């Protein structure tokens, strides 16, 4: 039971690191998107249009995708562990 708790804590730490890395990447992409939009607007001579609603929509889609991907990974990980435990029990018998 204690080892399972330790495994879950390690997994949580890993997931938190992944989440932070993805969040950083998302921020970099947003900045790059704004820079590109600014360059396009400058070339066209247009007035800069706020992209906040567009960015919010993308962020919501990204969050939903990330959540779904995380759920899938966790389900696969749990299934793999369950199969390993079953194999260990069978080999112990």
């Amino acid at each position: 039971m204690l080892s399972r708790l330790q495994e879950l804590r390690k997994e949580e730490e890993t997931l938190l690191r992944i989440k932070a890395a993805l969040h950083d990447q998302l921020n970099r992409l947003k900045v790059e998107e704004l820079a590109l939009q600014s360059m396009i607007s400058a070339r066209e001579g247009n007035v800069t249009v706020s992209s906040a609603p567009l960015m919010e929509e993308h962020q919501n889609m990204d969050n939903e995708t990330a959540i779904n991907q995380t759920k899938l990974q966790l389900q696969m990980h749990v299934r793999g562990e369950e199969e390993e435990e079953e194999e260990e029990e069978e080999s112990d018998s």
Side-chain angles (χ1 to χ4, degrees), residues 14-15 20 24 27 31-32 37 42 45 52 58:
T14 302
L15 291 172
D24 289 345
N27 286 337
V31 170
E32 188 174 332
Q37 287 178 350
H58 284 296

Side-chain angles (χ1 to χ4, degrees), residues 48-62:
T48 304
V49 177
S50 174
S51 63
L54 179 62
M55 286 178 29
E56 185 176 325
E57 181 180 328
H58 284 296
Q59 185 176 4
N60 288 340
M61 288 189 330
D62 290 342

Side-chain angles (χ1 to χ4, degrees), residues 28-72:
R28 283 191 292 273
L29 289 171
K30 285 179 185 178
V31 170
E32 188 174 332
E33 178 187 16
L34 289 173
L36 291 170
Q37 287 178 350
S38 177
M39 289 171 48
I40 291 169
S41 295
R43 284 185 183 170
E44 294 176 353
N46 295 339
V47 177
T48 304
V49 177
S50 174
S51 63
L54 179 62
M55 286 178 29
E56 185 176 325
E57 181 180 328
H58 284 296
Q59 185 176 4
N60 288 340
M61 288 189 330
D62 290 342
N63 286 342
E64 184 176 339
T65 302
I67 290 169
N68 290 338
Q69 184 65 30
T70 302
K71 285 181 182 177
L72 178 62

